[in-house]
Short mmCIF file of all heavy atoms in Angstrom, two decimals:
data_model
loop_
_atom_site.label_atom_id
_atom_site.label_comp_id
_atom_site.label_asym_id
_atom_site.label_seq_id
_atom_site.Cartn_x
_atom_site.Cartn_y
_atom_site.Cartn_z
N PHE S 398 156.84 109.45 70.97
CA PHE S 398 156.58 110.37 72.08
C PHE S 398 156.13 109.60 73.32
O PHE S 398 156.56 109.90 74.44
CB PHE S 398 155.51 111.40 71.68
CG PHE S 398 155.21 112.38 72.76
CD1 PHE S 398 156.06 113.45 73.02
CD2 PHE S 398 154.06 112.23 73.57
CE1 PHE S 398 155.79 114.35 74.05
CE2 PHE S 398 153.79 113.14 74.59
CZ PHE S 398 154.66 114.20 74.83
N ALA S 399 155.25 108.58 73.11
CA ALA S 399 154.72 107.83 74.25
C ALA S 399 155.83 107.05 74.96
O ALA S 399 155.77 106.85 76.18
CB ALA S 399 153.62 106.86 73.79
N ALA S 400 156.85 106.60 74.19
CA ALA S 400 157.91 105.77 74.79
C ALA S 400 159.26 106.48 74.80
O ALA S 400 160.31 105.84 74.81
CB ALA S 400 158.02 104.45 74.02
N LYS S 401 159.22 107.82 74.82
CA LYS S 401 160.46 108.59 74.68
C LYS S 401 161.48 108.30 75.78
O LYS S 401 162.69 108.41 75.57
CB LYS S 401 160.14 110.09 74.64
CG LYS S 401 159.49 110.65 75.89
CD LYS S 401 159.19 112.13 75.70
CE LYS S 401 158.63 112.75 76.97
NZ LYS S 401 157.33 112.16 77.36
N ASP S 402 160.99 107.91 76.96
CA ASP S 402 161.92 107.65 78.07
C ASP S 402 162.58 106.28 77.95
O ASP S 402 163.54 105.99 78.68
CB ASP S 402 161.18 107.75 79.41
CG ASP S 402 160.70 109.16 79.68
OD1 ASP S 402 161.33 110.11 79.16
OD2 ASP S 402 159.69 109.32 80.40
N GLU S 403 162.05 105.42 77.07
CA GLU S 403 162.58 104.06 76.93
C GLU S 403 163.36 103.85 75.63
O GLU S 403 164.21 102.98 75.54
CB GLU S 403 161.42 103.04 76.98
CG GLU S 403 160.57 103.12 78.25
CD GLU S 403 161.36 102.73 79.49
OE1 GLU S 403 162.32 101.94 79.36
OE2 GLU S 403 161.01 103.22 80.57
N ILE S 404 163.04 104.64 74.60
CA ILE S 404 163.65 104.44 73.28
C ILE S 404 164.95 105.21 73.17
O ILE S 404 165.02 106.40 73.49
CB ILE S 404 162.68 104.88 72.17
CG1 ILE S 404 161.45 103.97 72.15
CG2 ILE S 404 163.36 104.82 70.80
CD1 ILE S 404 160.42 104.35 71.11
N SER S 405 165.99 104.54 72.70
CA SER S 405 167.29 105.18 72.50
C SER S 405 167.54 105.39 71.01
O SER S 405 166.85 104.83 70.15
CB SER S 405 168.41 104.28 73.05
OG SER S 405 168.49 103.08 72.30
N GLY S 406 168.55 106.18 70.71
CA GLY S 406 168.93 106.40 69.32
C GLY S 406 169.38 105.10 68.65
O GLY S 406 169.11 104.87 67.47
N ASP S 407 170.05 104.23 69.43
CA ASP S 407 170.50 102.94 68.89
C ASP S 407 169.32 102.09 68.47
O ASP S 407 169.35 101.41 67.44
CB ASP S 407 171.34 102.19 69.93
CG ASP S 407 172.72 102.81 70.11
OD1 ASP S 407 173.15 103.54 69.19
OD2 ASP S 407 173.35 102.56 71.15
N PHE S 408 168.25 102.11 69.28
CA PHE S 408 167.06 101.32 68.96
C PHE S 408 166.43 101.80 67.65
O PHE S 408 166.05 100.99 66.80
CB PHE S 408 166.04 101.43 70.10
CG PHE S 408 164.75 100.70 69.82
CD1 PHE S 408 164.66 99.33 69.97
CD2 PHE S 408 163.63 101.40 69.38
CE1 PHE S 408 163.47 98.66 69.69
CE2 PHE S 408 162.44 100.74 69.10
CZ PHE S 408 162.37 99.36 69.26
N ILE S 409 166.34 103.13 67.48
CA ILE S 409 165.76 103.67 66.25
C ILE S 409 166.61 103.30 65.04
O ILE S 409 166.09 102.96 63.98
CB ILE S 409 165.59 105.20 66.37
CG1 ILE S 409 164.54 105.51 67.46
CG2 ILE S 409 165.18 105.81 65.04
CD1 ILE S 409 164.39 106.98 67.78
N ARG S 410 167.94 103.36 65.20
CA ARG S 410 168.82 102.98 64.09
C ARG S 410 168.65 101.49 63.74
O ARG S 410 168.66 101.11 62.57
CB ARG S 410 170.28 103.29 64.45
CG ARG S 410 170.63 104.76 64.28
CD ARG S 410 172.11 105.00 64.45
NE ARG S 410 172.52 104.87 65.85
CZ ARG S 410 172.44 105.86 66.74
NH1 ARG S 410 171.96 107.05 66.35
NH2 ARG S 410 172.82 105.69 67.98
N LEU S 411 168.48 100.65 64.76
CA LEU S 411 168.25 99.22 64.52
C LEU S 411 166.94 98.99 63.76
O LEU S 411 166.87 98.17 62.85
CB LEU S 411 168.23 98.45 65.85
CG LEU S 411 169.56 98.19 66.53
CD1 LEU S 411 169.35 97.60 67.91
CD2 LEU S 411 170.41 97.24 65.68
N MET S 412 165.90 99.75 64.14
CA MET S 412 164.62 99.65 63.46
C MET S 412 164.77 100.06 61.99
O MET S 412 164.23 99.40 61.08
CB MET S 412 163.58 100.54 64.14
CG MET S 412 163.11 100.01 65.48
SD MET S 412 162.10 98.53 65.32
CE MET S 412 160.67 99.20 64.47
N ASP S 413 165.51 101.11 61.76
CA ASP S 413 165.72 101.59 60.40
C ASP S 413 166.45 100.54 59.56
O ASP S 413 166.09 100.25 58.42
CB ASP S 413 166.52 102.90 60.43
CG ASP S 413 166.67 103.52 59.04
OD1 ASP S 413 165.67 103.55 58.30
OD2 ASP S 413 167.79 103.94 58.70
N GLU S 414 167.49 99.93 60.13
CA GLU S 414 168.25 98.89 59.42
C GLU S 414 167.37 97.67 59.13
O GLU S 414 167.46 97.07 58.05
CB GLU S 414 169.46 98.48 60.26
CG GLU S 414 170.54 99.55 60.33
CD GLU S 414 171.65 99.19 61.31
OE1 GLU S 414 171.64 98.03 61.81
OE2 GLU S 414 172.51 100.03 61.58
N ALA S 415 166.53 97.31 60.10
CA ALA S 415 165.65 96.15 59.92
C ALA S 415 164.66 96.40 58.78
O ALA S 415 164.39 95.52 57.96
CB ALA S 415 164.90 95.84 61.21
N LEU S 416 164.11 97.61 58.71
CA LEU S 416 163.18 97.95 57.64
C LEU S 416 163.88 97.95 56.27
O LEU S 416 163.31 97.52 55.26
CB LEU S 416 162.54 99.32 57.91
CG LEU S 416 161.52 99.34 59.05
CD1 LEU S 416 161.15 100.78 59.40
CD2 LEU S 416 160.27 98.56 58.67
N LYS S 417 165.11 98.43 56.25
CA LYS S 417 165.88 98.41 55.00
C LYS S 417 166.09 96.98 54.51
O LYS S 417 166.00 96.68 53.32
CB LYS S 417 167.24 99.10 55.19
CG LYS S 417 167.14 100.61 55.29
CD LYS S 417 168.53 101.22 55.54
CE LYS S 417 168.42 102.73 55.68
NZ LYS S 417 169.74 103.34 56.02
N LYS S 418 166.40 96.07 55.44
CA LYS S 418 166.59 94.65 55.08
C LYS S 418 165.31 94.05 54.52
O LYS S 418 165.34 93.26 53.57
CB LYS S 418 167.08 93.87 56.30
CG LYS S 418 168.51 94.16 56.69
CD LYS S 418 168.93 93.35 57.92
CE LYS S 418 170.35 93.67 58.33
NZ LYS S 418 170.76 92.92 59.58
N GLN S 419 164.17 94.43 55.14
CA GLN S 419 162.89 93.95 54.64
C GLN S 419 162.65 94.42 53.20
O GLN S 419 162.19 93.68 52.35
CB GLN S 419 161.75 94.41 55.54
CG GLN S 419 161.63 93.62 56.83
CD GLN S 419 160.41 94.06 57.62
OE1 GLN S 419 159.78 95.07 57.34
NE2 GLN S 419 160.07 93.28 58.63
N GLU S 420 162.99 95.69 52.94
CA GLU S 420 162.82 96.24 51.59
C GLU S 420 163.70 95.50 50.58
O GLU S 420 163.27 95.23 49.45
CB GLU S 420 163.17 97.72 51.58
CG GLU S 420 162.18 98.61 52.34
CD GLU S 420 162.70 100.03 52.50
OE1 GLU S 420 163.79 100.33 51.98
OE2 GLU S 420 162.00 100.82 53.18
#
Side-chain angles (χ1 to χ4, degrees):
F398 180 78
K401 63 182 184 297
D402 294 333
E403 303 294 333
I404 294 179
S405 65
D407 287 340
F408 177 79
I409 294 174
R410 280 188 288 275
L411 284 172
M412 288 290 294
D413 185 43
E414 290 173 8
L416 288 169
K417 287 177 181 176
K418 288 179 181 177
Q419 283 185 348
E420 291 170 3

